């Protein structure tokens, strides 16, 4: 197992992370605001005390330093959260008529839009000037007749009003607003290209402008030499970290085959770049040039590559770690990989503590930690002498070590596990290496050798074909797996205890294994029992489709008024709720056909009478007042709530997504004045819970 004396920076990292977690997940009202200078003062005082007082043991001083590190992490997260909340724009930006900003990122190309990050400085609202700097996502509608020529550093004027990035409207959906808030971006704006007016160019950072131009040139070379869109997209992702051009089918194939990691620029790609640089610098004469110039040039090249590929957490981790190793080479110092990894993580979290909550950051560091610790132990099980067999065994051990370290988080975030990941990585990793080498060759000398582009395209085609064939194998992926955060922690505790038991043979680790396994079983059992006693109705918020889930224990039926316009969209929105509550995947939909007339339908679910008004009508068509538990209004069916009250009596009113926003706003104001409960599905979904018998659970809680 790990011996703390050999890995001092791991202790520092864990203390720092604990402080970040404490500040992130504690109740803000209960937190103590710590002056940022206090941790620094404590650190200096403890260091001076250690130098002047030798009577106190190293253990005491070490624990004091770790406590100080915890406080630094806590304070750092507090300061970052405060600055982030201050950059959250107020309602002025969501009411401005036009604004001026500068493009500050690479464009992301999607099927319908080109996405830019824009740093906004000035806006216009009712003839007043807004000057509160913020950032937003600008979605520019694609148009063949009016191609977008926007690039980094362009200062532009945009007509229209940006809006907030909306929180998810349905339970357990991916929270894109929180994801962007971690990058201090809270606004978005969907525009047509004629709403954008170029003011000037070349307003960005000079170095970044050059790097952006280089990247654009690389994109152009790849586009000109590789003609098929799928192969083009994979080469872009492997070389430059550009994943916006990958279509859904290709991403799904790579994810199902367990090969998605090769499309995210990370340690594999950095190691290939290092291999090429090392080979080139061997041409230099030995001596100082080999010891100093080569590492310095390599570090510079690696960080330029990190900028070219978009500064993702995984690439930052890899480049930071390789830089530490190269610096130690210059200083002629011996490094330990685990300490280097911990130091790289510490530096990145010092730069931005919110990296800790980034999925790529977590998986990247865990994969490398798994390889560093587990690979030697796994590879020592079998001593292969044949060079080819040894290469296959080493690659298998690396894949297994990385997968073991990351699979609990993979299940938690992506709810699936690739069954054939070992087979996939035996082909995909060498193929990715070849694609990287050929891609760099294409960029550097491709204009002189046409065959490089041809070979690169066919290699990428073979890679895609192999991944797609793995995907269609029976049982290629175990899907729709849900584990809770507690289960993730317990699985890691079980794994650590098992490794400790193998290493030390101490019996108390066996008890930890048993307790972890029982904890996983108990947590899942309680969740299943709790769900089996539930009766719920969930009205989803999905475009203009009216979808209602009737949940009865561990079964569910989905009802709709009309044909579904986009099955993929509704499944994507509904699946997270179904998965979290152990319900079947939403493969089928039942139609509500109980029509009172051409303007109304009725359905009884869980003894709740639901009345749907689907279009405007003459209230004289109803000869007597109707009664219902819930009324759903669609397509502005009623002029006002007063008209509705003359037609039907009910407990709750739901406005579906087909109503115009102005109409919904007017009815919500009217409901507030009348004291009527009303729900707008444009804002969020609506859950009605009718819990069943909880006597079994009450025996324990």
């Amino acid at each position: 197992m790990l011996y703390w004396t050999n890995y001092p920076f791991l202790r520092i990292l864990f203390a720092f992370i604990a402080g970040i977690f404490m500040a992130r997940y504690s109740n803000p009202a209960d937190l103590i605001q710590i002056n940022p200078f206090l941790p620094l003062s404590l650190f200096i005082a403890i260091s001076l005390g250690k130098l002047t007082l030798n009577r106190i043991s190293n253990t005491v001083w070490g624990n004091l330093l770790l406590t100080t590190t915890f406080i630094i992490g806590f304070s750092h997260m507090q300061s970052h959260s405060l600055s982030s909340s201050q950059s959250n724009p107020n309602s002025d930006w969501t009411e401005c008529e036009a604004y001026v900003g500068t493009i500050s990122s690479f464009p992301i190309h999607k099927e319908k839009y080109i996405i830019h990050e824009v740093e906004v400085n000035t806006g216009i609202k009712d003839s007043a000037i807004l000057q509160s700097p913020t950032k937003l996502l600008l979605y520019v509608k694609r148009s063949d007749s009016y191609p977008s020529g926007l690039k980094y550093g362009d200062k532009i004027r945009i007509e229209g009003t940006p809006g907030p990035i909306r929180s998810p409207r349905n339970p357990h959906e991916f929270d894109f607003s929180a994801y962007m808030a971690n990058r201090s971006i809270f606004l978005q704006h969907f525009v047509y290209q004629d709403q954008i007016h170029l003011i000037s160019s070349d307003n960005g950072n000079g170095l970044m402008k050059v790097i952006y131009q280089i990247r654009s040139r690389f994109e152009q070379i790849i586009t000109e030499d590789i003609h098929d869109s799928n192969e083009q997209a994979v080469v872009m992702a492997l070389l430059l970290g550009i994943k916006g051009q990958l279509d859904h089918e290709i991403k799904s194939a790579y994810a199902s085959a367990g090969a998605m990691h090769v499309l995210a620029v990370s340690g594999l790609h950095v190691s290939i770049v290092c291999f090429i640089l090392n080979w080139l610098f061997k041409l230099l004469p030995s001596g100082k040039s080999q010891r100093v110039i080569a590492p310095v040039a390599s570090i510079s090249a690696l960080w330029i590559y990190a900028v070219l590929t978009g500064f993702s957490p995984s690439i930052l981790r890899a480049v930071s770690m390789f830089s530490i190793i190269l610096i130690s080479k210059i200083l002629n110092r011996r490094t330990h990989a685990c300490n280097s990894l911990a130091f790289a993580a510490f530096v990145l979290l010092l730069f931005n503590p919110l990296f800790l909550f980034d999925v790529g950051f977590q998986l990247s560091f865990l994969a490398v930690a798994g390889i560093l610790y587990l690979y030697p132990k796994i590879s020592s099980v079998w001593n292969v002498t044949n060079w080819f067999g040894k290469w296959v065994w080493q690659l298998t051990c690396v894949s297994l070590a990385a997968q073991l370290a990351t699979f609990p988080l993979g299940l938690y975030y992506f709810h699936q596990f690739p069954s054939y990941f070992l087979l996939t990585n035996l082909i995909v990793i060498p193929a990715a290496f070849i694609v990287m080498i050929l891609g760099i060759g294409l960029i550097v000398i491709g204009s002189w050798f046409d065959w490089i582009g041809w070979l690169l395209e066919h290699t990428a085609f073979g890679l895609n074909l192999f991944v797609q064939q793995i995907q269609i194998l029976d049982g290629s992926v175990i899907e729709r797996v849900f584990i809770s955060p507690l289960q993730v922690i317990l699985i890691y505790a079980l794994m650590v205890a098992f490794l400790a038991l193998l290493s030390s043979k101490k019996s108390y680790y066996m008890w930890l294994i048993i307790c972890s396994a029982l904890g996983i079983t108990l947590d899942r059992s309680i969740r299943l029992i709790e769900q089996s006693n539930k009766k719920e109705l969930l009205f989803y918020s999905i475009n203009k489709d009216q979808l209602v889930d009737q949940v009865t224990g561990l079964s569910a039926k989905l009802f709709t008024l009309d044909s579904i316009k986009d099955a993929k969209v509704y499944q994507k929105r509904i699946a997270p709720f179904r998965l979290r509550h152990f319900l079947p995947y939403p493969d089928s939909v039942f139609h509500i056909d109980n029509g009172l007339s051409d303007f109304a339908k009725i359905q009884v679910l869980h003894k709740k009478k639901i009345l749907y008004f689907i279009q405007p009508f003459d209230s004289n068509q109803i000869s007597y007042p109707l009664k219902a538990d819930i009324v759903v209004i669609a397509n502005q069916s009623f002029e006002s709530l007063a008209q509705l009250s003359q037609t039907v009596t009910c407990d709750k009113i739901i406005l579906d997504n087909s109503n115009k926003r102005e109409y919904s706003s007017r009815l919500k104001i009217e409901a507030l004045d009348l004291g009527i409960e009303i729900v707008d599905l444009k804002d969020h979904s609506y859950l009605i819970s009718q819990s069943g018998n909880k006597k079994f659970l009450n025996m324990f809680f």
Side-chain angles (χ1 to χ4, degrees):
M1 288 300 292
L2 293 176
Y3 297 98
W4 288 118
T5 53
N6 297 329
Y7 307 97
F9 230 98
L10 276 177
R11 289 177 288 179
I12 295 172
L13 177 64
F14 287 155
F16 192 68
I17 287 175
I20 292 174
F21 264 104
M22 179 66 75
R24 171 83 170 193
Y25 292 112
S26 298
N27 186 349
D30 298 333
L31 293 181
I32 302 172
Q33 295 297 321
I34 296 177
N35 189 313
F37 291 103
L38 176 61
L40 181 61
S41 302
L42 282 173
F43 183 81
I44 294 172
I46 291 171
S47 300
L48 290 175
K50 175 61 178 171
L51 293 174
T52 56
L53 301 174
N54 295 320
R55 296 180 180 179
I56 300 178
S57 68
N58 290 332
T59 302
V60 173
W61 286 119
N63 288 329
L64 284 172
L65 284 172
L66 290 179
T67 303
T68 304
T69 306
F70 172 86
I71 296 171
I72 291 172
F74 186 92
S75 173
H76 187 46
M77 185 65 208
Q78 272 191 335
S79 301
H80 198 280
S81 299
L82 180 62
S83 62
S84 179
S85 63
Q86 289 175 345
S87 65
N88 190 349
N90 56 32
S91 59
D92 288 340
W93 283 109
T94 59
E95 296 175 3
C96 70
E97 302 156 14
Y99 56 93
V100 175
T102 303
I103 294 177
S104 59
S105 71
F106 296 120
I108 300 174
H109 295 266
K110 297 292 185 180
E111 183 180 354
K112 296 181 179 179
Y113 294 95
I114 301 174
I115 308 171
H116 302 273
E117 284 186 18
V118 179
E119 293 183 354
V120 180
N121 298 308
T122 307
I124 301 172
K125 176 188 175 183
D126 299 329
S127 301
I129 303 298
L130 302 175
Q131 290 185 327
S132 177
T134 187
K135 293 175 71 175
L136 61 78
L137 288 181
L138 185 68
Y139 291 78
V140 184
K141 183 73 173 178
R142 282 182 175 272
S143 172
D144 294 334
S145 59
Y146 193 3
S148 174
L150 297 177
K151 59 186 182 297
Y152 171 80
D154 283 351
K155 188 174 184 180
I156 53 178
R157 184 179 190 272
I158 302 104
E159 305 290 340
T161 303
I165 300 176
R166 299 188 62 172
S167 300
R169 293 178 292 174
N170 297 294
H172 313 303
E173 276 189 283
F174 173 66
D175 193 346
F176 183 66
S177 63
Y179 174 76
M180 295 310 299
N182 285 343
R183 299 171 56 184
S184 300
I185 299 177
F186 304 92
L187 295 171
Q188 62 184 4
H189 195 188
F190 293 83
V191 299
Y192 292 96
Q193 296 188 31
D194 57 2
Q195 293 177 252
I196 303 172
H197 309 282
L198 179 65
I199 298 175
S200 62
S201 299
D202 304 333
N203 294 285
N205 178 275
L207 176 60
M208 291 298 295
K209 178 190 170 186
V210 172
I211 291 173
Y212 276 57
Q213 289 174 342
I214 293 171
R215 173 165 156 147
S216 298
R217 176 56 186 157
F218 289 172
E219 287 186 59
Q220 183 183 352
I221 291 171
I222 293 170
T223 305
E224 289 174 352
D225 284 77
I226 298 177
H227 307 97
D228 185 88
S229 59
N230 284 335
E231 281 69 72
Q232 194 179 98
V234 167
V235 173
M236 291 274 199
L238 275 165
L239 276 177
L240 303 175
I242 301 172
K243 293 187 285 188
Q245 298 182 27
L246 293 166
D247 62 29
H248 176 75
E249 287 73 18
I250 285 291
K251 286 194 287 188
S252 177
Y254 274 80
S256 299
M260 198 65 187
H261 60 93
V262 302
L263 299 180
V265 177
S266 59
L268 172 66
H269 308 73
V270 174
S271 63
I272 294 170
V273 173
C274 275
F275 171 81
I276 295 170
L277 291 170
N278 187 53
W279 179 76
L280 289 173
F281 288 129
K282 279 185 178 178
L283 302 175
L284 291 174
S286 59
K288 186 177 180 181
S289 59
Q290 282 278 10
R291 191 174 67 84
V292 179
I293 297 176
V296 170
S298 296
I299 292 171
S300 303
L302 288 176
W303 282 101
I304 290 172
Y305 179 67
V307 176
L308 280 172
T309 53
F311 262 146
S312 68
S314 58
I315 192 70
L316 285 174
R317 185 271 309 160
V319 171
S320 299
M321 188 171 174
F322 275 98
S323 297
I324 293 167
I325 293 170
L326 290 169
I327 290 171
S328 66
K329 186 177 179 181
I330 297 172
L331 300 175
N332 199 23
R333 297 287 298 273
R334 180 176 171 270
T335 60
H336 198 292
C338 284
N339 273 324
S340 298
L341 180 66
F343 181 73
F346 180 81
V347 170
L348 292 179
L349 293 177
L350 204 57
F351 173 72
N352 184 356
L354 293 177
F355 276 156
L356 183 62
F357 309 99
D358 182 273
V359 179
F361 181 92
Q362 295 170 9
L363 293 175
S364 176
F365 274 92
L366 277 174
V368 176
I371 292 170
L372 292 176
Y373 184 74
L374 295 175
Y375 168 75
K377 299 183 180 300
I378 298 172
S379 62
S380 64
V381 172
W382 186 19
N383 184 24
V384 183
T385 55
N386 177 274
W387 73 268
F388 180 75
K390 187 175 183 179
W391 174 79
V392 171
W393 175 238
Q394 287 177 340
L395 193 55
T396 301
C397 293
V398 168
S399 300
L400 187 58
Q403 196 69 50
L404 282 172
T406 58
F407 88 88
L409 273 186
L411 290 178
Y412 175 70
Y413 285 119
F414 309 117
H415 313 295
Q416 64 181 32
F417 182 80
S419 305
Y420 302 119
F421 70 92
L422 288 176
L423 173 62
T424 300
N425 285 324
L426 285 176
I427 303 299
V428 166
I429 292 177
F433 187 90
I434 295 170
V435 169
M436 286 280 292
I437 296 292
L438 290 173
I440 294 172
L442 175 67
I443 289 170
V444 177
I445 58 173
S447 58
W448 294 307
F449 302 98
D450 295 337
W451 59 268
I452 296 179
W454 179 90
L455 185 57
L456 175 59
E457 182 167 11
H458 283 75
T459 304
F461 171 79
L463 175 59
N464 288 343
L465 181 63
F466 172 77
V467 169
Q468 289 165 342
Q469 292 303 309
I470 292 291
Q471 182 193 25
I472 63 177
L473 291 175
D474 289 338
S476 63
V477 61
I478 302 170
E479 294 183 292
R480 303 166 193 172
V481 180
F482 169 75
I483 60 174
S484 67
L486 176 59
Q487 289 172 32
V488 173
I489 295 170
L490 290 173
I491 290 171
Y492 276 115
L494 190 152
M495 293 168 62
V496 170
F498 179 74
L499 292 171
L501 180 65
L502 291 179
S503 177
S504 66
K505 306 294 189 299
K506 293 181 179 178
S507 60
Y508 54 77
Y509 288 119
M510 178 57 75
W511 285 109
L512 181 55
I513 292 172
I514 294 171
C515 291
S516 299
L518 286 175
I520 294 167
T521 305
L522 184 62
D523 181 69
R524 189 168 184 85
S525 299
I526 290 173
R527 290 173 182 274
L528 282 166
I529 294 169
E530 186 179 42
Q531 181 60 37
S532 66
N533 285 278
K534 284 185 177 179
K535 287 185 178 180
E536 296 173 325
L537 293 178
L538 178 57
F539 293 80
Y540 289 102
S541 175
I542 302 175
N543 300 331
K544 294 186 178 181
D545 295 320
Q546 290 184 345
L547 291 166
V548 184
D549 233 344
Q550 179 185 241
V551 178
T552 307
L554 298 174
S555 64
K557 292 180 72 174
L558 189 65
F559 294 90
T560 182
L561 287 176
D562 272 314
S563 59
I564 301 298
K565 298 175 180 62
D566 192 336
K568 287 183 180 179
V569 169
Y570 93 77
Q571 288 178 340
K572 182 180 178 182
R573 301 284 180 85
I574 293 170
F577 173 79
R578 291 281 192 98
L579 186 67
R580 184 67 63 94
H581 295 275
F582 308 101
L583 299 171
Y585 193 76
D587 292 317
S588 57
V589 183
F590 299 88
H591 288 271
I592 300 173
D593 296 322
N594 303 322
L596 294 176
S597 64
D598 59 345
F599 59 81
K601 292 184 179 182
I602 191 169
Q603 180 81 354
V604 178
L605 301 174
H606 286 328
K607 299 181 181 180
K608 295 284 186 181
K609 186 185 292 184
I610 306 170
L611 191 57
Y612 297 87
F613 289 95
I614 55 180
Q615 64 185 30
F617 64 98
D618 184 357
S619 58
N620 293 323
Q621 293 178 261
I622 299 178
S623 56
Y624 56 90
L626 301 174
K627 290 184 179 181
D629 295 296
I630 301 168
V631 168
V632 181
I633 301 176
N635 299 308
Q636 296 84 232
S637 300
F638 290 93
E639 187 65 31
S640 65
L641 294 183
Q643 181 193 9
L644 182 146
S645 63
Q646 296 172 0
T647 307
V648 60
T649 58
C650 62
D651 297 326
K652 294 182 180 69
I653 299 171
I654 297 177
L655 304 174
D656 83 349
N657 281 289
S658 65
N659 297 294
K660 295 180 179 178
R661 188 165 291 279
E662 296 80 7
Y663 172 84
S664 299
S665 299
R666 180 166 57 82
L667 257 62
K668 284 190 284 187
I669 293 172
E670 187 179 356
L672 188 64
D673 294 337
L674 297 174
I676 298 173
E677 185 178 355
I678 191 167
V679 176
D680 187 359
L681 295 182
K682 284 185 182 294
D683 298 330
H684 54 78
S685 61
Y686 182 57
L687 178 69
I688 300 173
S689 180
Q690 298 172 289
S691 298
N693 189 357
K694 290 189 175 181
K695 289 183 179 179
F696 181 85
L697 289 178
N698 291 335
M699 291 169 59
F700 299 96
F701 304 100

